[in-house]
Amino acid sequence: GGLCCDPATIFSETFDSNPMPLTLEAVSTTAGWSVSEQRYVSPTSALYFGDPLSKSYDTGERVAGSASLPPVLITESREGYLTFRLLSLIEKKVSYDRFWIEAEVLDDTGAVTETHTVMQKHSIPPTAYNEFALVEVPLHGLDGQTVRLRFNFDSMDAMNNAYEGVYIDDIDVLAGCPILDACEVDSQCDDGDPCTLDACSTEGCAHLTDEECEPEGLGEGPCDGPDAPEDCCIADEDCDDGDAT
C-alpha cells in the first residue's frame, strides 16, 4: 500500500503582508502581473494578471507576461511539489489565453541551465474557471536542485479578451515523501540496519525506524558479550569468592 509522510514547507507566499519580491516581465504596459486586492483566498491580496484598473486584459492588443518566484532549493531525495489556489477568469479554449508554469533550474552562479514546463492550461481544474480551486503540481526530477518557478500568461492575440484575468493565491512549495528505490520483493529493500523495518511498497522500498529497537551489543560491557570468559571482571569486587582468607 501507500506510505504516509508529513510534507515540509520549503517556500510559502500569501501575497498579504510584506510579500516576497517577484520578477515580473510583460510584453505590454497595459496588462501584466501585479499584487491585487480585487480577489483573494487569504486576505487581503493575491497575484493577478490583467489591468488592475479596468479589471480586464481586453486592452486592444496581445498581452503576455510572467511572474517568477525567488529561487528555492528542492529538498534532496524528497518528492517536491507546488500547490496554490487558482481563479482562471479567461477563455477556456486551450489554444488561446494560455496559462502555464515553468521551473528554471539554476546553477551556483544563478544562471539557468534547464527549463521544464511543469503545468499547462489543460491541467487547470474545471472549477477554477468559476472559483478559486486548489492546484497541485508535481516537481518530478528536481530534488536537490535550485529552481525558480515562473507563472506565465499569454492571450495569443488581441481578440476575444473581455475577461477579468488570472488570480493566484496561497503558494506553497513542499517536500513530500522520500523518493523510494524500485523493488519487487521485501528482500531487495534490506538496508543492513537492524533497527529499520524494510518493506517493498507500491511506491518502492520503505525503511521505517523501529523506535523500540535495541541492537545486539548496544550498551554491553566487556564482560557482557557472548565471548567473555567465565572469570571476566572489571573491578576488584567482581573477584570476591566469599572466602575471608
Side-chain angles (χ1 to χ4, degrees):
L3 298 173
C4 296
C5 54
D6 295 324
T9 300
I10 304 172
F11 173 88
S12 184
E13 180 58 78
T14 62
F15 303 104
D16 299 327
S17 60
N18 300 317
M20 295 187 183
L22 305 175
T23 302
L24 306 178
E25 299 178 4
V27 300
S28 167
T29 59
T30 55
W33 291 100
S34 63
V35 176
S36 169
E37 297 182 356
Q38 175 68 14
R39 299 179 188 267
Y40 48 80
V41 176
S42 59
T44 54
S45 303
L47 184 64
Y48 168 64
F49 184 92
D51 178 357
L53 297 179
S54 67
K55 300 179 179 58
S56 170
Y57 55 94
D58 189 14
T59 65
E61 59 182 344
R62 174 188 175 186
V63 293
S66 66
S68 299
L69 303 180
V72 295
L73 175 63
I74 307 300
T75 306
E76 191 168 6
S77 300
R78 299 280 295 269
E79 288 285 3
Y81 59 100
L82 163 71
T83 66
F84 60 96
R85 301 283 178 169
L86 173 66
L87 176 59
S88 182
L89 303 179
I90 62 177
E91 188 174 355
K92 294 182 180 180
K93 291 183 179 179
V94 174
S95 54
Y96 296 98
D97 292 1
R98 293 182 58 218
F99 171 78
W100 74 103
I101 303 172
E102 295 171 305
E104 296 178 320
V105 178
L106 309 179
D107 64 16
D108 292 340
T109 68
V112 177
T113 60
E114 302 173 27
T115 300
H116 302 268
T117 299
V118 294
M119 178 183 173
Q120 300 191 59
K121 185 178 180 180
H122 61 74
S123 298
I124 294 178
T127 55
Y129 289 102
N130 300 301
E131 60 186 10
F132 276 100
L134 177 64
V135 179
E136 182 174 311
V137 180
L139 302 176
H140 294 311
L142 297 176
D143 66 293
Q145 302 190 74
T146 299
V147 303
R148 181 169 54 217
L149 294 168
R150 184 169 63 206
F151 297 84
N152 302 280
F153 180 83
D154 189 339
S155 68
M156 305 301 293
D157 58 30
M159 301 177 292
N160 196 25
N161 290 337
Y163 297 88
E164 188 169 332
V166 176
Y167 292 88
I168 293 171
D169 204 1
D170 296 346
I171 296 175
D172 286 304
V173 180
L174 304 169
C177 293
I179 299 173
L180 306 179
D181 297 327
C183 62
E184 295 181 358
V185 294
D186 291 347
S187 59
Q188 294 175 317
C189 300
D190 186 359
D191 61 2
D193 185 341
C195 285
T196 59
L197 306 175
D198 308 314
C200 181
S201 74
T202 54
E203 287 84 6
C205 285
H207 309 283
L208 305 178
T209 301
D210 181 357
E211 301 294 345
E212 299 180 357
C213 174
E214 294 185 6
E216 291 184 9
L218 184 63
E220 291 181 347
C223 294
D224 296 328
D227 299 326
E230 292 184 6
D231 59 351
C232 180
C233 62
I234 57 175
D236 289 346
E237 52 266 29
D238 295 335
C239 302
D240 186 358
D241 62 1
D243 187 343
T245 60

